[in-house]
């Protein structure tokens, strides 16, 4: 007889409904990949729950019956909707705290706390209203981690079913703001935990504390969070939980990110028709208003404008390359200061550097297909998807040796890797890349090596399945 594992998968964003960053990519694919692992012996019924952000784009939403969750002497109404995405049941949770805060992530920590605490509480009530019982709650990052805390406190109630908790750690430094008062207002008590005192009221630490398994998004990052440098004050606590901590590399959507069929490209190509890639470089140069020249190295930054990503270092490196013949495109939005710095670079080098300060998924694909190298000088990088997408498109990554970048980019085999967080180290790596670029054969080998890599989700999904199985035994 086949066994079914029911998994409620919670995330703040998921492609194609709403995507701001890498989490959106992961939550858009992993739940479907997990469902696809179902076979005669084991059936995985994974269901995705997302906040009904005002910017969500979803068709055919069916409203569920309204329900409410108690708060103080009154109640907060929950509007839930359901739909399916290629067979994956998807639920959206709406309500005043979500409506009141337009963007997925705002700069207002208090509003975000209200929104995500409400979302996590409501999501834990959802199963009752859809007549379906999860065996595992799988949360992602701080936004949804309170669900695990609520799940654990429910488990303590007499007669409650054991529901296991898994958290995927995409970004440790973002822990959310103090939710002590909010939890109390929802009637959830703060437990005695072995967390450091400052962390006992923060959503992510509470979720980590309450989870049965902690998964970092790369083996490299799983090791790094145990160190003082990357552990954000939680490394002692995480070392105590070492047994339940593992690293599973994210995959990319190999179907969506496929240069042989990508609709965003005017010229498709694959390993078999590799020569056609060159046309994409020239088309990109033309689109950006740069000189059409197959020989000038075209560098790219496709990233959130955030210090985590080391884009400041990339800008300083480019500034220090005055005497070198290159072109560069910067695609990204985020920190206004970094956006301004990108604009200044464009003003300084109008013929060389183009700053596209927007979120543009199609342009990103055209850059992956046209640029020679992508720069990722991250200060820390839990996994990183951009370097994998880049390799899939034959764009060679130049990365810092950290977290998932270190796990995925092999020096001189698929890319260029540097250690020190210093712009001159990046410049040296770019120069090494440019030198190789002059040797067409060698360069093509690097590109082909990257394009041939299997970054599919299947292997990662199998690892997650093993974790679920170990928890529901
Ligand atoms: P993070 O999740 O830290 O932002 P990742 O490398 O894991 O970084 O994922 C970033 C994803 O967002 C990639 O798919 C990348 O192509 C995409 N992306 C980042 N900035 C932009 C942008 N301005 N326009 C389009 N896509 C972007």
């Amino acid at each position: 007889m086949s066994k079914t594992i029911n998994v409620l998968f919670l995330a703040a964003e998921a492609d194609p409904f709403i995507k701001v960053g890498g989490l959106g990519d992961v939550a858009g694919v992993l739940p479907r990949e997990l469902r696809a692992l179902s076979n005669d012996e084991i059936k995985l019924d994974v269901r995705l729950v997302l906040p009904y952000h005002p910017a969500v784009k979803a068709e055919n939403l069916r409203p569920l019956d309204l329900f409410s969750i108690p708060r103080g002497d009154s109640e907060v109404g929950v509007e839930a909707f359901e739909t399916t995405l290629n067979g994956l049941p998807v639920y959206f949770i709406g309500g005043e705290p979500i409506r009141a805060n337009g963007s997925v992530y705002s700069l207002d920590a208090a509003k975000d706390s209200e929104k995500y605490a409400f979302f996590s509480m409501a999501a834990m009530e959802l199963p009752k209203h859809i007549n379906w019982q999860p065996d595992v709650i799988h949360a992602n990052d701080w936004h949804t981690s309170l669900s695990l805390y609520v799940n654990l406190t429910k488990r303590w109630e007499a007669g409650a079913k054991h529901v296991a908790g898994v958290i995927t750690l995409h970004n440790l430094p973002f822990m959310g703001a103090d939710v002590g008062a909010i939890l109390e207002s929802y009637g959830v008590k703060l437990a005695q935990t072995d967390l450091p005192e400052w962390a006992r009221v923060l959503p992510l630490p509470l979720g980590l504390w309450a989870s049965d398994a902690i998964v970092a998004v790369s083996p490299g990052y799983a090791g790094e969070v145990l160190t003082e440098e990357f552990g954000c004050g939680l490394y002692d606590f995480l070392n105590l939980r070492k047994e339940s901590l593992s690293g599973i590399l994210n995959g990319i959507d190999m179907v969506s990110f496929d240069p042989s069929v990508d609709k965003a490209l005017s010229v498709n190509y694959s390993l078999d028709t590799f020569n056609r890639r060159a046309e994409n470089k020239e088309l990109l140069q033309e689109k950006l208003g740069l000189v059409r020249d197959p020989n000038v190295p075209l560098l790219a930054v496709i990233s959130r404008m955030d210090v985590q990503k080391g884009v400041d270092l990339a800008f300083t490196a480019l500034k220090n390359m005055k005497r070198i013949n290159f072109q560069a495109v910067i695609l990204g939005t985020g920190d206004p200061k970094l956006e301004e710095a990108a604009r200044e670079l464009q003003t300084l080098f109008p013929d060389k550097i183009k700053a596209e300060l927007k979120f543009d998924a199609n342009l990103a694909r055209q850059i992956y297909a046209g640029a020679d190298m992508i720069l990722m000088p991250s200060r820390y990088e839990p996994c990183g998807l951009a370097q994998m997408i880049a390799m899939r498109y034959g764009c060679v990554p130049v990365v810092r040796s950290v977290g998932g970048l270190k796990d995925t980019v092999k020096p001189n085999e698929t890319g260029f890797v540097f250690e020190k967080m210093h712009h001159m180290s990046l410049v040296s790596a770019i120069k090494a890349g440019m030198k190789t670029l002059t040797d067409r054969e060698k360069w093509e080998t690097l590109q082909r090596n990257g394009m041939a890599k299997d970054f599919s989700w299947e292997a990662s999904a199998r690892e997650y399945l093993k974790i679920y199985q170990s928890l529901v035994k």
Side-chain angles (χ1 to χ4, degrees):
M1 202 181 81
S2 81
K3 168 153 181 47
T4 301
I5 303 180
N6 290 346
V7 182
L8 193 65
F9 192 100
L10 290 81
E13 50 173 304
D15 198 36
F17 304 111
I18 184 132
K19 171 178 151 175
V20 181
L23 175 60
D25 289 293
V26 175
V29 181
L30 180 57
R32 277 184 284 157
E33 289 285 340
L34 283 162
R35 281 184 82 89
L37 293 181
S38 290
N39 57 35
D40 291 344
E41 266 166 52
I42 188 137
K43 185 167 168 258
L44 262 179
D45 187 357
V46 182
R47 302 187 181 197
L48 174 65
V49 197
L50 299 167
Y52 194 39
H53 304 289
V56 159
K57 287 198 181 73
E59 281 160 21
N60 305 323
L61 285 186
R62 294 176 295 278
L64 300 172
D65 287 341
L66 295 175
F67 60 95
S68 59
I69 46 177
R71 184 169 195 179
D73 297 331
S74 88
E75 297 185 322
V76 196
V78 181
E79 298 140 25
F81 305 86
E82 67 178 333
T83 185
T84 48
L85 173 66
N86 301 335
L88 168 77
V90 183
Y91 301 91
F92 289 95
I93 288 194
E96 190 46 35
I98 291 172
R99 252 195 310 278
N101 186 356
S103 50
V104 177
Y105 313 115
S106 76
L107 295 173
D108 183 336
K111 269 192 177 171
D112 267 7
S113 299
E114 279 290 345
K115 171 163 73 179
Y116 287 111
F118 165 76
F119 173 73
S120 299
M121 303 285 158
M124 288 301 88
E125 288 301 307
L126 180 72
K128 266 192 237 159
H129 300 272
I130 55 174
N131 233 338
W132 177 85
Q133 257 301 319
D135 301 299
V136 178
I137 307 291
H138 188 155
N140 290 274
D141 276 353
W142 80 262
H143 329 101
T144 50
S145 59
L146 282 177
S147 62
L148 299 175
Y149 185 73
V150 174
N151 175 48
L152 184 68
T153 51
K154 274 197 178 163
R155 229 197 256 170
W156 295 333
E157 287 166 14
K161 176 181 182 288
H162 178 102
V163 180
V166 176
I167 185 157
T168 297
L169 200 50
H170 302 258
N171 209 335
L172 180 61
F174 293 85
M175 299 190 190
D178 185 343
V179 282
I182 299 177
L183 283 179
E184 207 164 306
S185 72
Y186 281 111
V188 178
K189 297 245 171 334
L190 279 174
Q192 289 286 334
T193 67
D194 56 352
L195 288 164
E197 201 169 335
W198 56 267
R200 290 178 194 162
V201 288
L202 303 183
L204 181 64
L206 286 171
L208 292 169
W209 178 78
S211 61
D212 299 287
I214 301 170
V215 182
V217 286
S218 68
Y221 195 53
E224 286 173 353
V225 296
L226 298 175
T227 66
E228 189 169 354
E229 186 184 354
F230 296 100
C232 305
L234 289 183
Y235 53 95
D236 280 337
F237 166 79
L238 288 168
N239 272 289
L240 291 173
R241 295 296 177 93
K242 218 166 147 178
E243 296 300 306
S244 48
L245 170 69
S246 59
I248 301 179
L249 196 69
N250 284 336
I252 57 171
D253 185 338
M254 299 284 277
V255 175
S256 164
F257 291 111
D258 179 352
S260 71
V261 291
D262 191 331
K263 288 199 176 66
L265 311 185
S266 317
V267 182
N268 291 109
Y269 60 96
S270 65
L271 278 170
D272 294 334
T273 55
F274 181 78
N275 288 344
R276 305 203 65 191
R277 185 178 190 274
E279 291 176 56
N280 285 285
K281 178 168 174 179
E282 294 200 30
L283 288 170
L284 180 63
Q285 287 170 321
E286 187 172 280
K287 179 166 186 169
L288 296 170
L290 293 165
V291 174
R292 271 179 88 134
D293 181 349
N295 294 318
V296 59
L298 176 50
L299 312 177
V301 172
I302 304 176
S303 172
R304 284 183 290 124
M305 292 291 113
D306 191 297
V307 284
Q308 177 208 330
K309 298 292 191 181
V311 282
D312 51 323
L313 198 94
F315 298 166
T316 314
L318 295 179
K319 235 188 223 168
N320 275 275
M321 288 171 36
K322 279 194 201 75
R323 275 186 277 277
I324 301 175
N325 186 24
F326 75 92
Q327 296 174 335
V329 52
I330 300 160
L331 173 64
T333 55
D335 185 337
K337 280 200 213 94
L338 291 169
E339 289 192 8
E340 190 46 42
R343 257 183 234 112
E344 276 169 20
L345 260 185
Q346 176 174 269
T347 311
L348 217 55
F349 301 102
D351 304 330
K352 275 183 162 179
I353 300 181
K354 295 294 164 189
E356 300 284 340
L357 303 170
K358 57 184 176 184
F359 190 94
D360 186 335
N362 282 345
L363 180 57
R365 288 162 182 270
Q366 288 155 6
I367 296 174
Y368 288 123
D372 296 303
M373 292 177 229
I374 184 166
L375 311 182
M376 296 185 73
S378 304
R379 289 194 162 75
Y380 69 93
E381 192 60 78
C383 177
L385 299 175
Q387 82 280 15
M388 292 193 263
I389 302 171
M391 283 185 262
R392 174 105 168 117
Y393 281 69
C395 175
V396 176
V398 180
V399 304
R400 182 153 175 257
S401 175
V402 70
L405 296 175
K406 192 175 178 175
D407 288 341
T408 50
V409 181
K410 299 291 161 236
N412 304 318
E413 187 189 314
T414 52
F416 296 86
V417 181
F418 67 98
E419 294 276 338
K420 209 166 151 212
M421 195 65 203
H422 192 282
H423 67 270
M424 286 317 291
S425 303
L426 173 57
V427 171
S428 299
I430 295 173
K431 281 187 180 165
M434 287 179 173
K435 190 161 171 248
T436 313
L437 186 55
T438 58
D439 181 337
R440 281 284 150 195
E441 212 173 299
K442 250 193 185 171
W443 188 256
E444 195 178 314
T445 305
L446 274 183
Q447 291 178 298
R448 285 181 175 275
N449 288 345
M451 286 175 74
K453 288 264 172 228
D454 179 4
F455 293 119
S456 68
W457 268 104
E458 197 186 325
S460 318
R462 285 191 192 286
E463 294 294 309
Y464 276 105
L465 171 58
K466 275 191 212 151
I467 291 180
Y468 296 157
Q469 283 177 306
S470 72
L471 297 178
V472 300
K473 236 185 230 162

